[in-house]
Amino acid sequence: MILLPCPHCGPRNASEFRYAGEASTRPDPNATTPEEWRAYLYIKNNPAGWTTEKWFHRTGCRRYFTAERHTVTNEVRETRLPAARLESNS
Amino acid sequence: MTRSFFSRNGTRSGYQKQARYSAFDLFRRGLSGAEWPRAWRSRDPKSSYDVVVIGGGVHGLATAYYLAKEHGITDVAVLDKGYIGGGASGRNTAIIRSNYLTPEGVRFYDRSVKLYENLSAELNFNVMFSQRGHLTLAHNDGAVRTMRWRAEVNKLEGIDSEVIGPAEIKNLVPFMDTSEHTRYPILGALYHPPGGIIRHDAVVWGYARGADAHDVHIHPYTEVQGIDVENGRVHGVRTNRGGIATSKVVNCTAGYSSLISGMAGVGMPIGTFPLQAAVTERVKPFLHPVVVSGTLHVYVSQTDRGELVFGASVDPFTSYSTRGSLEFIEGLAGHVLELMPSLSKLRLLRQWAGLCDMTPDYSPIMGVTPVEGFYIDVGWGTWGFKAGPVSGEAMAELVATGKTPKIIAAFDLARFAEGRLVGEKGAAAVGH
Amino acid sequence: MSRGALKTGKSMRLGRQPGEVLDRSRQFVFTWNGRKYPAFGGDTIISALSAAGESVFSRSFKYHRPRGLLTASFLDPGCNVQVGDEPNVRGAHRKVEPHMAASAQNAWPSLRFDVKSANRYLERFLPPGFYYKTFMEPQRLWPLYERVLQRFAGGGKASPDAPHGYYDKRYAHPDVVVAGGGPAGMGAAVAAAEAGARVMLVEEEHELGGHLRWGDEEDLAALRRLGEEVARNSTIEVMTDSVVTGRYDGNWVAVSQRSLPRVEERLIKARTKTLVVAPGLIERPYVFQGNDAPGVMLSTAARRLINLYAVKPGERAVVLTANAEGDAAVADLERAGVEVARVEDARNGGDIGRVRGGQGAREVECGDGARIECDLVVTATGWTAPTSLLNMAGDKPFYNPAAARFFPSRLPEDVLATGGIAGDGSLDELLEHARATGKEAARRARGIGAALRAGIPQSTDGEEAPQDSPVTIPDLPVNGHLELFRGRTHGIVDYSEDVSSKDLVAAVKEGYDSAELAKRYTTATMGPTQGKLETVNAMAVIAEATGRSMEETGATTWRPPYAPITLGALAGRNFEPVRYSPMQPWHERQGARPLVAGAWIRPDHYGDPEAEVRNVRKNVGVIDVTPLGKLDLRGPDVSELLNFLYVNKWSNLEVGKVRYGVMCAEDGVILDDGVTGRLGPEHYLMTTTSSGAAGVLEWIEDWLQTYQPDWRVHVTPVTGAYASINIAGPKSRELLARVAEGVDLSTEAFPYMNVRTGTVAGVEGCFMWRIGFTGELSYEIHVPAAYGLYVWEALMERGADLGVRPFGVEAQRVLRLEKGHFIVGQDTDALTQGFGAGISWAIKLDKEDFVGKPELVWQGERDGYFRLIGLQPHDGSVAPPEASQIVEGKTIVGRITSSRFSSTLERSICLGFVAPHLAEPGTTVTVQLPNGERITARVMEHLAHYDPEGAKARG
């Protein structure tokens, strides 16, 4: 069982978490087209390699965070809270 | 009547006479000590083919077989990056059934079951299709309702399928704990007598041998590394054994289908998840039908060799790893013992994993893509093996005629952009 | 001989041996195939039988050939036996116990005379995969053939009455796990412990020591010294008769522990920092004709029999040796009084051609053609490296032809290897390597531990990773070993599967020419030993047949578990949580019929659901709705959040008001519904469906944390914090008035769709909602959970004269159906978007944004979707079962989603999901019942069949 380093709680068993899918960006709901919106809903990068994804620490701090995980080795190289992303974007 | 190699119409040009398999021939060769010839030939790839099929599993080989046999298109190469049948075709739990939820699904899988019923004769290769019955257990009211829904749709489509109660279940599976005192008491089951198990490798080998007889080229250990697309059209594929020019490429891969489609620039609504399975040591036959429990995320069958084969739902997160996990066999064992508590001393012998391409609506993606000449037969999630023959038949028709057969029309890629998803989720979640 | 008499054949028991594991003071009797046999404490089932002169222990899988002892270890393929209701017991490993009832598997009618052994004569007609080549048609006869094939299924017998034993699991967090308790493992464990590590030393056999145990005086002395060192280190936990079954991602290591008293088998899950793989080497059988005859065994087997169990393996032996182990076996045999008729030294060209003998070896044809009578053939041709755990750690071991075995190539930082798997060498050299490896394992464990602790954000000690430099691990020499796999004849490669080298060659010639294909085609390595004895020989034969080298043929992946593990141990105790409401004791006293609803178990009814319905409509009923999802929402931006989550509008909800809302997902599909009330300016309580409670919490947190992090809302799940009771019926106000304090219950002061906080039956801080699922005047009260039972009982007591009765889920289903309330997931499905569920009135597309808005906008424009409608069969006495299909000819145009007989309306009532052209009120639809009959039903104007205007609820 892999360990996921929760940015709040530290490394924990993956069974404490829920995988919440690839990180994605929500289109503007009032300007979007069906193609764009459904790409957001359904299309995945699904790489065999590093991917950026969302996890939820279900039986821990109940925080969502972003993880960079390698989908072949399952190694996790970085996790961060979504707020950190916002700060870095602003 | 279906001795296809010898009597049916088909191509004559590339026709390759093969040794016929039969009890008589076994006896004859046993007496004379004569060796059996190769089931299919090993060759070097040509520099071009009319059609290149990527993926040497049941889907790819069946597509090639039907292209050659039904449509006379024999200049076909099947490429696989490993040995044939080494991917999902050799890693699944080989359950065949057609008791789906939607009429589209039922018709499609019913055609597959029909093809499977005839496959041993058709391919002159015993695929050991054992129609021992298939039970999907219901542990709560909602599940009973879904089972009845499936049964009703099935019956309207002419499929043998009915909801039965705990007493009948106990009759079919004496080892089952049908008492009311379990954590998830068994309230009923969907019983599907034509469902069963098959020897998955034999299906792959039978199609390979059949395709080879029609002069299809099978290239194991040939990895596709790129797909050449110009002006929205396919021109060829690049492999570790050199380039192959072609105007038609069929993506019949599992696990890696996003990556292959990505090479052609086609985005996929797919996440790749490991699906694990396990097998116990052999014990004398005691379990006849296939048993599935959605609530307990487990399915069980016993092979003719005596092993119990177990499967469950896909892993909780995406991965291309087939290393397997301990929590999988822990959960599996727990749920098996919920159903059959007397098996606690049975030993688990081996676990393995395959890769599943999960789609948002638990239905496959078959047909054309925005790239001309690039066809897909992907998104098979955990139910691809049972659809092998019908997929091959339909994809071959599509590639040969350019027209999407009605039986797969609902499974097109465009349905996602157009918001026409297929409602199969309820039946397929752990629907083996 | 009577079956009860003690078996007294020719005793092969030797006098006391220096390293024997027998407790000769404990002698007892057990049964084998119904006959009594003597045994000493410490004997295995097979050693005791061998001592009594038995030599055949099973019949082979396919040809039913007699099989004897081959390895005298856990792996011994011919020694799997049935013990009571336990199948496939490793007879050469399992210690025999007094009165144990063991029997042979796979033999009928008896071991000596097995009817199916006639298969032997059919061998030439049954090549590998013969079943693929016959029985093809007709398909209808296949079940018949299949039944014949199934008769040959091997293995023991499962019993439907076998009790579920006691199994528990254990978690461990050692610094170092050492897999293998031979000299190298012991040395590594001691060095790691001395370097400060907490060590788990795991050995598959019953004692530590590996090959030293069956060695000479010098070996035994070395073993004693090592044993003392291990014992001196209190930080080493020694586990014998235990095995590391798997190494999973994250160095998550599974250990099966079989040595505990009264515990069948325990699964230990160890999050170890480093893993030292030291399994030693497995002696490899040699492939030649007759190599599976009883009496043909490996040198380690002969040595184990003599030295551990004081059993003489035979009377007259021929030994094929290529190494020191074989030479030592010769010495042991002679010492045990076995006549060694000939030693074939493979290093000097010696070989064995074939062995003849049906029930057991009778004659050997040696390499030079000489024929020698004997009853024992011992081979020592080399070793297989069990690289299984290395494979699981992602390593791809490489083949070294000079040593004729595989070696580790690139291990991850947290996995190390020592002992025979890493190289050869003298005992001193091995121990030096092992000690360095153990020390390095401890050092790396410190670093890994420090990194883990540093990953905990709250840790304040600012621990620095240790800076010590790596321990130099000396290279082990690799001695020359002959590549002896198959001799000049064909023989068995896989004993468990009855696959011969000839079969593998035939498979390759038929095109199954990669290792994986040949194995799948012949089933070689698929049996109980999972290739530990067979893989390398199989590869060698395939390589030979294909003309490729061993390297090109490649290693196959060894899959977990390393050793088989019982389902009981894997399952452990069932910890599936069950949730009960605080009122459960009352329900049980009243004989409520339980209903499993996800994690909850709740009353389905109390005997007569129809009466329960009538009582709600006539008097007053109470139902325990504790499982109802409840989320406490606080903060200045709750209304923003609600506006965003629900399809309807929330910005203008006043304090004390309640609103019903529907949530859709981003694809527009209905996700959940429920009422939310505003308790204070910045305080709301949201209710969700029972099954949706956990999901909705995560859903809200997702939007709050990742999409709108600037919204100030705090969400607390309070489902279990409150017991929830719905009081429904015309007399509900009267009942509540008797227990409620501080709240004016009059319609004017407390109208429909309002919520108040007050005291109920003296319990403060209760929420009272004037809402209802039943269509009657009703109140839902949320009581702090600890008072739930008390308040429930108070309601029962105070309402007795009003006719208060409990009602269960079944009655509630009828009541809500009469009222036309849909249930998400039953009346809607995974594709039902908002407009399909008859809630167009609630969907406010003019909101700036809400979850799923674009899809609902497009759905509204599309208009071609199925719709939820109310339905009444024309024949009111027929209630079509839920999921009955609505049809036009053979085409499905809808289905019944909910259906009950309404005792209130004295007719059947339904909700259904139909194609748009059937959704108009007054349309007649055809419903096909499960029995095939068809009935007609009328589409109603409303979903509600009872009081569609809602006058009663508002009254």
Side-chain angles (χ1 to χ4, degrees):
Chain A
M1 170 147 25
I2 63 168
L3 283 174
L4 271 175
C6 170
H8 261 135
C9 313
R12 299 290 187 92
N13 285 350
S15 56
E16 292 188 7
F17 301 84
R18 178 174 66 87
Y19 169 72
E22 275 182 14
S24 60
T25 309
R26 186 172 190 251
D28 175 352
N30 294 307
T32 191
T33 63
E35 291 70 29
E36 182 195 41
W37 184 258
R38 285 159 185 160
Y40 151 70
L41 288 180
Y42 304 125
I43 301 292
K44 311 239 181 320
N45 293 323
N46 197 31
W50 291 105
T51 183
T52 305
E53 58 197 14
K54 200 157 72 169
W55 289 80
F56 177 64
H57 197 178
R58 180 182 264 163
T59 58
C61 60
R62 294 213 314 249
R63 298 296 292 178
Y64 280 85
F65 60 91
T66 303
E68 285 181 25
R69 182 175 60 93
H70 195 285
T71 58
V72 178
T73 64
N74 286 335
E75 184 192 342
V76 179
R77 69 176 172 196
E78 198 198 330
T79 54
R80 54 186 183 269
L81 291 172
R85 178 189 52 129
L86 289 176
E87 278 160 25
S88 65
N89 286 356
S90 60
Chain B
M1 63 159 260
T2 46
R3 292 182 185 170
S4 55
F5 294 150
F6 301 94
S7 60
R8 286 271 291 273
N9 305 333
T11 66
R12 290 289 157 219
S13 55
Y15 183 75
Q16 187 71 29
K17 189 165 169 70
Q18 280 180 334
R20 188 174 161 71
Y21 293 165
S22 71
F24 174 71
D25 289 272
L26 274 169
F27 180 68
R28 201 166 50 87
R29 283 178 196 262
L31 278 183
S32 68
E35 282 170 7
W36 291 92
R38 285 183 70 98
W40 59 88
R41 286 160 287 174
S42 165
R43 317 162 183 258
D44 288 324
K46 295 195 301 170
S47 61
S48 83
Y49 286 96
D50 287 349
V51 180
V52 168
V53 176
I54 307 175
V58 58
H59 282 253
L61 290 164
T63 300
Y65 171 78
Y66 291 111
L67 264 175
K69 177 173 166 264
E70 302 294 339
H71 305 281
I73 298 175
T74 57
D75 189 28
V76 177
V78 179
L79 315 182
D80 199 288
K81 70 172 189 164
Y83 61 98
I84 68 160
S89 291
R91 294 161 187 268
N92 67 87
T93 47
I95 295 169
I96 309 293
R97 64 181 177 88
S98 62
N99 58 351
Y100 277 70
L101 179 65
T102 61
E104 305 92 294
V106 173
R107 277 173 221 147
F108 179 74
Y109 289 98
D110 180 47
R111 174 70 189 154
S112 212
V113 169
K114 296 259 158 50
L115 288 169
Y116 268 130
E117 283 174 347
N118 242 334
L119 204 59
S120 292
E122 158 94 20
L123 298 175
N124 181 233
F125 200 107
N126 193 345
V127 297
M128 297 190 244
F129 183 21
S130 172
Q131 294 182 284
R132 39 180 66 197
H134 182 284
L135 283 172
T136 314
L137 303 176
H139 302 264
N140 57 54
D141 290 4
V144 172
R145 198 178 302 113
T146 306
M147 296 314 145
R148 201 181 297 122
W149 182 358
R150 282 167 66 179
E152 290 312 299
V153 173
N154 292 174
K155 282 190 260 179
L156 280 161
E157 295 293 333
I159 308 297
D160 189 357
S161 181
E162 59 176 324
V163 175
I164 61 173
E168 290 155 286
I169 297 169
K170 184 82 183 173
N171 240 346
L172 288 164
V173 187
F175 273 60
M176 186 89 73
D177 184 352
T178 50
S179 70
E180 291 183 358
H181 312 295
T182 58
R183 174 66 184 84
Y184 297 105
I186 295 166
L187 304 184
L190 182 64
Y191 181 46
H192 177 48
I197 55 175
I198 202 163
R199 179 83 182 102
H200 55 4
D201 288 331
V203 176
V204 171
W205 300 333
Y207 271 121
R209 178 165 165 270
D212 179 83
H214 290 283
D215 218 21
V216 165
H217 289 198
I218 298 166
H219 299 302
Y221 301 103
T222 307
E223 183 174 2
V224 172
Q225 294 165 333
I227 297 174
D228 297 321
V229 176
E230 269 172 59
N231 302 321
R233 288 189 59 97
V234 165
H235 287 275
V237 298
R238 277 165 281 136
T239 79
N240 59 337
R241 298 173 75 189
I244 296 172
T246 184
S247 61
K248 285 176 178 172
V249 170
V250 191
N251 178 4
C252 288
T253 58
Y256 302 90
S257 66
S258 304
L259 305 181
I260 296 288
S261 290
M263 290 177 190
V266 178
M268 286 281 127
I270 279 175
T272 296
F273 289 79
L275 176 69
Q276 301 191 54
V279 65
T280 66
E281 295 180 345
R282 290 189 288 247
V283 279
K284 301 283 182 222
F286 71 91
L287 174 66
H288 195 62
V290 178
V291 175
V292 179
S293 165
T295 301
L296 296 174
H297 302 287
V298 66
Y299 46 96
V300 191
S301 67
Q302 187 173 23
T303 67
D304 289 340
R305 289 157 46 79
E307 303 147 326
L308 290 191
V309 179
F310 300 137
S313 40
V314 296
D315 280 5
F317 54 91
T318 61
S319 182
Y320 285 84
S321 158
T322 53
R323 289 182 298 275
S325 67
L326 178 62
E327 48 275 30
F328 163 72
I329 48 175
E330 290 180 82
L332 186 73
H335 291 142
V336 168
L337 294 186
E338 271 282 294
L339 296 177
M340 293 182 257
S342 58
L343 299 182
S344 63
K345 285 176 186 165
L346 208 59
R347 288 180 191 81
L348 192 113
L349 190 59
R350 178 173 73 247
Q351 68 177 113
W352 68 92
L355 299 181
C356 293
D357 292 335
M358 302 305 292
T359 58
D361 58 0
Y362 286 66
S363 293
I365 311 173
M366 303 176 76
V368 297
T369 66
V371 174
E372 200 181 329
F374 184 66
Y375 303 91
I376 54 175
D377 170 25
V378 300
W380 283 105
T382 63
W383 51 86
F385 195 84
K386 51 184 73 55
V390 66
S391 302
E393 188 183 59
M395 289 306 293
E397 184 182 338
L398 167 62
V399 172
T401 66
K403 293 196 195 81
T404 302
K406 199 168 160 229
I407 198 164
I408 60 167
F411 304 134
D412 61 334
L413 175 63
R415 75 179 184 271
F416 296 100
E418 293 167 13
R420 301 181 272 107
L421 273 58
V422 180
E424 203 54 76
K425 206 163 178 168
V430 191
H432 292 271
Chain C
M1 188 170 104
S2 97
R3 291 176 71 81
L6 193 64
K7 161 81 183 171
T8 50
K10 181 171 169 28
S11 174
M12 301 297 272
R13 187 71 83 182
L14 299 166
R16 198 175 291 273
Q17 302 295 308
E20 74 176 28
V21 296
L22 302 179
D23 176 358
R24 295 203 185 225
S25 67
R26 246 178 89 231
Q27 193 170 13
F28 53 83
V29 167
F30 73 107
T31 67
W32 168 245
N33 293 332
R35 285 184 175 174
K36 290 182 178 167
Y37 284 78
F40 287 125
D43 256 325
T44 65
I45 296 168
I46 297 297
S47 75
L49 292 173
S50 299
E54 293 292 340
S55 60
V56 179
F57 305 116
S58 69
R59 289 276 173 166
S60 72
F61 178 46
K62 188 169 161 191
Y63 303 121
H64 282 250
R65 288 140 70 121
R67 286 284 163 77
L69 177 145
L70 178 72
T71 72
S73 69
F74 189 90
L75 294 177
D76 208 322
C79 295
N80 287 355
V81 301
Q82 179 96 22
V83 175
D85 56 18
E86 183 178 0
N88 305 322
V89 171
R90 272 39 179 195
H93 173 84
R94 178 71 61 87
K95 286 188 177 169
V96 69
E97 286 161 23
H99 312 300
M100 190 181 245
S103 55
Q105 300 182 162
N106 225 25
W108 189 84
S110 78
L111 259 185
R112 286 274 157 212
F113 175 76
D114 184 312
V115 171
K116 288 177 198 141
S117 64
N119 282 10
R120 275 183 289 169
Y121 306 109
L122 298 174
E123 192 175 337
R124 60 195 314 191
F125 306 114
L126 303 176
F130 72 91
Y131 32 77
Y132 299 130
K133 294 194 174 82
T134 183
F135 311 139
M136 268 85 74
E137 15 187 351
Q139 167 72 23
R140 75 191 146 73
L141 283 189
W142 169 244
L144 221 71
Y145 300 135
E146 191 184 19
R147 244 171 286 155
V148 176
L149 277 184
Q150 281 179 343
R151 295 244 170 85
F152 288 92
K157 257 199 175 108
S159 156
D161 308 314
H164 184 61
Y166 176 75
Y167 302 91
D168 249 336
K169 295 181 191 177
R170 175 187 156 195
Y171 286 90
H173 296 81
D175 295 320
V176 180
V177 168
V178 180
M186 294 168 85
V190 168
E194 285 172 353
R198 288 168 301 119
V199 182
M200 212 173 239
L201 175 60
V202 185
E203 168 54 38
E204 189 170 9
E205 306 235 350
H206 298 282
E207 292 92 18
L208 293 178
H211 67 270
L212 296 180
R213 295 169 56 224
W214 54 86
D216 57 18
E217 284 297 345
E218 208 175 305
D219 289 338
L220 291 173
L223 175 54
R224 273 193 297 277
R225 282 194 303 279
L226 276 170
E228 283 159 15
E229 285 180 41
V230 169
R232 261 203 306 279
N233 281 285
S234 60
T235 54
I236 302 177
E237 181 182 3
V238 177
M239 277 178 236
T240 53
D241 195 12
S242 302
V243 59
V244 174
T245 62
R247 184 273 184 191
Y248 299 91
D249 286 355
N251 243 8
W252 184 243
V253 165
V255 181
S256 141
Q257 186 178 19
R258 302 180 292 237
S259 57
L260 294 169
R262 289 182 300 282
V263 177
E264 309 266 358
E265 186 174 25
R266 172 157 299 168
L267 175 65
I268 300 171
K269 298 187 270 184
R271 175 74 74 185
T272 188
K273 295 183 185 71
T274 54
L275 170 67
V276 176
V277 181
L281 295 172
I282 294 171
E283 190 166 25
R284 195 175 63 233
Y286 187 50
V287 181
F288 56 85
Q289 190 183 326
N291 65 339
D292 63 329
V296 179
M297 66 180 71
L298 304 179
S299 69
T300 41
R303 299 192 70 196
R304 293 165 68 105
L305 275 184
I306 296 167
N307 297 316
L308 297 180
Y309 302 109
V311 173
K312 189 176 172 185
E315 300 294 350
R316 193 159 195 268
V318 170
V319 180
L320 172 67
T321 172
N323 53 39
E325 186 73 17
D327 303 342
V330 172
D332 283 345
L333 288 169
E334 285 174 340
R335 195 170 48 77
V338 180
E339 180 192 347
V340 179
R342 182 147 173 179
V343 175
E344 287 282 327
D345 191 329
R347 290 159 295 196
N348 300 323
D351 199 0
I352 286 178
R354 54 175 60 82
V355 167
R356 294 197 176 83
Q359 287 292 311
R362 223 176 44 237
E363 182 190 82
V364 176
E365 187 183 308
C366 293
D368 59 4
R371 294 178 170 204
I372 297 167
E373 273 188 30
C374 64
D375 64 345
L376 176 63
V377 180
V378 174
T379 66
T381 50
W383 310 97
T384 294
T387 54
S388 183
L389 291 173
L390 305 180
N391 280 107
M392 293 179 214
D395 188 34
K396 290 199 164 53
F398 71 96
Y399 180 74
N400 179 349
R405 66 178 198 262
F406 285 85
F407 286 88
S409 53
R410 276 177 59 189
L411 296 174
E413 197 212 347
D414 51 9
V415 178
L416 303 90
T418 187
I421 204 167
D424 298 306
S426 66
L427 180 61
D428 285 343
E429 285 171 310
L430 275 175
L431 284 176
E432 191 191 348
H433 184 273
R435 290 198 168 106
T437 304
K439 197 173 168 197
E440 173 65 4
R443 188 194 69 85
R444 290 190 199 171
R446 276 197 301 282
I448 292 166
L452 281 175
R453 284 188 295 277
I456 303 169
Q458 288 82 2
S459 73
T460 49
D461 51 8
E463 181 182 5
E464 295 260 318
Q467 295 295 314
D468 44 3
S469 50
V471 178
T472 308
I473 301 174
D475 280 336
L476 274 176
V478 174
N479 300 343
H481 294 272
L482 294 171
E483 287 189 283
L484 288 172
F485 305 112
R486 183 174 81 83
R488 61 194 70 181
T489 49
H490 281 292
I492 292 294
V493 171
D494 188 323
Y495 296 81
S496 325
E497 295 289 310
D498 241 1
V499 178
S500 71
S501 49
K502 210 167 159 182
D503 295 338
L504 282 164
V505 171
V508 167
K509 286 192 175 154
E510 281 193 56
Y512 304 93
D513 54 2
S514 72
E516 285 293 345
L517 282 177
K519 282 168 33 174
R520 282 173 179 267
Y521 191 66
T522 60
T523 73
T525 76
M526 302 287 180
T529 55
Q530 287 290 290
K532 289 181 197 68
L533 293 173
E534 311 89 356
T535 291
V536 176
N537 283 339
M539 307 250 309
V541 172
I542 293 163
E544 185 189 331
T546 53
R548 292 193 285 255
S549 68
M550 286 286 278
E551 293 94 314
E552 286 166 326
T553 306
T556 57
T557 314
W558 302 62
R559 300 185 194 284
Y562 175 74
I565 178 166
T566 58
L567 298 182
L570 285 170
R573 239 193 293 180
N574 187 346
F575 284 118
E576 292 270 353
V578 178
R579 300 184 77 179
Y580 293 111
S581 88
M583 289 82 96
Q584 180 66 18
W586 192 92
H587 303 322
E588 284 176 16
R589 282 201 300 275
Q590 300 298 313
R593 184 172 169 77
L595 175 79
V596 179
W600 292 91
I601 295 183
R602 48 190 308 199
D604 192 17
H605 57 78
Y606 300 82
D608 184 354
E610 275 193 27
E612 291 167 20
V613 170
R614 283 193 299 272
N615 194 52
V616 169
R617 295 276 178 237
K618 195 168 123 242
N619 298 313
V620 57
V622 289
I623 180 170
D624 179 352
V625 291
T626 301
L628 185 80
K630 296 177 277 285
L631 296 172
D632 182 278
L633 309 174
R634 291 177 200 243
D637 297 316
V638 175
S639 70
E640 289 266 26
L641 173 73
L642 298 175
N643 238 355
F644 184 72
L645 289 173
Y646 286 117
V647 298
N648 45 336
K649 277 199 182 138
W650 290 83
S651 31
N652 53 358
L653 188 74
E654 292 164 28
V655 173
K657 295 274 184 200
V658 172
R659 193 166 287 166
Y660 169 77
V662 174
M663 286 182 200
C664 291
E666 285 281 71
D667 58 3
V669 170
I670 294 181
L671 189 73
D672 205 84
D673 69 344
V675 295
T676 294
R678 190 169 189 178
L679 304 174
E682 296 190 358
H683 185 193
Y684 293 70
L685 191 66
M686 172 189 282
T687 66
T688 73
T689 60
S690 304
S691 55
V696 170
L697 170 69
E698 295 185 12
W699 179 246
I700 296 176
E701 288 289 3
D702 192 356
W703 290 108
L704 278 177
Q705 292 179 32
T706 69
Y707 192 69
Q708 301 286 7
D710 45 343
W711 282 353
R712 288 159 300 166
V713 180
H714 201 86
V715 189
T716 312
V718 293
T719 303
Y722 291 93
S724 304
I725 303 166
N726 193 290
I727 308 165
K731 297 178 183 166
S732 58
R733 181 181 287 127
E734 196 177 345
L735 173 56
L736 183 59
R738 293 182 183 181
V739 289
E741 292 166 52
V743 175
D744 180 353
L745 294 180
S746 68
T747 291
E748 300 71 37
F750 188 0
Y752 184 57
M753 294 303 270
N754 272 255
V755 62
R756 301 286 181 270
T757 306
T759 299
V760 177
V763 178
E764 292 171 7
C766 296
F767 305 121
M768 285 167 261
W769 306 66
R770 204 179 144 199
I771 54 171
F773 208 40
T774 58
E776 293 299 329
L777 172 68
S778 90
Y779 298 86
E780 195 151 293
I781 56 176
H782 296 172
V783 182
Y787 296 101
L789 179 59
Y790 165 76
V791 171
W792 178 273
E793 285 175 339
L795 285 169
M796 287 301 169
E797 198 187 310
R798 304 287 298 277
D801 60 313
L802 299 175
V804 67
R805 297 289 308 147
F807 65 105
V809 173
E810 175 56 25
Q812 190 195 34
R813 281 180 182 145
V814 176
L815 292 160
R816 71 91 201 175
L817 180 58
E818 289 174 347
K819 186 61 191 158
H821 289 301
F822 67 77
I823 296 178
V824 175
Q826 172 173 343
D827 299 300
T828 71
D829 64 41
L831 294 181
T832 310
Q833 293 179 311
F835 284 107
I839 48 150
S840 315
W841 54 270
I843 302 171
K844 300 296 180 213
L845 296 176
D846 57 338
K847 284 199 292 183
E848 171 65 21
D849 187 11
F850 60 93
V851 181
K853 176 181 173 185
E855 287 291 353
L856 293 179
V857 169
W858 299 324
Q859 190 196 15
E861 292 164 359
R862 203 166 58 232
D863 202 41
Y865 45 86
F866 276 47
R867 285 164 172 80
L868 188 66
I869 42 104
L871 272 174
Q872 290 187 357
H874 287 114
D875 178 352
S877 66
V878 180
E882 287 166 358
S884 293
Q885 299 295 301
I886 297 169
V887 294
E888 281 178 345
K890 286 206 74 180
T891 308
I892 296 168
V893 289
R895 70 175 191 279
I896 302 293
T897 59
S898 294
S899 175
R900 284 291 186 277
F901 188 82
S902 160
S903 51
T904 312
L905 302 171
E906 294 188 327
R907 68 161 1 273
S908 54
I909 53 170
C910 310
L911 287 178
F913 206 61
V914 296
H917 69 280
L918 299 175
E920 272 307 302
T923 308
T924 293
V925 300
T926 305
V927 180
Q928 173 150 336
L929 305 180
N931 63 11
E933 273 176 45
R934 292 187 171 197
I935 61 162
T936 56
R938 187 165 64 98
V939 176
M940 309 300 289
E941 196 146 344
H942 305 281
L943 295 181
H945 301 272
Y946 173 79
D947 186 25
E949 291 76 32
K952 289 183 188 289
R954 286 170 216 279

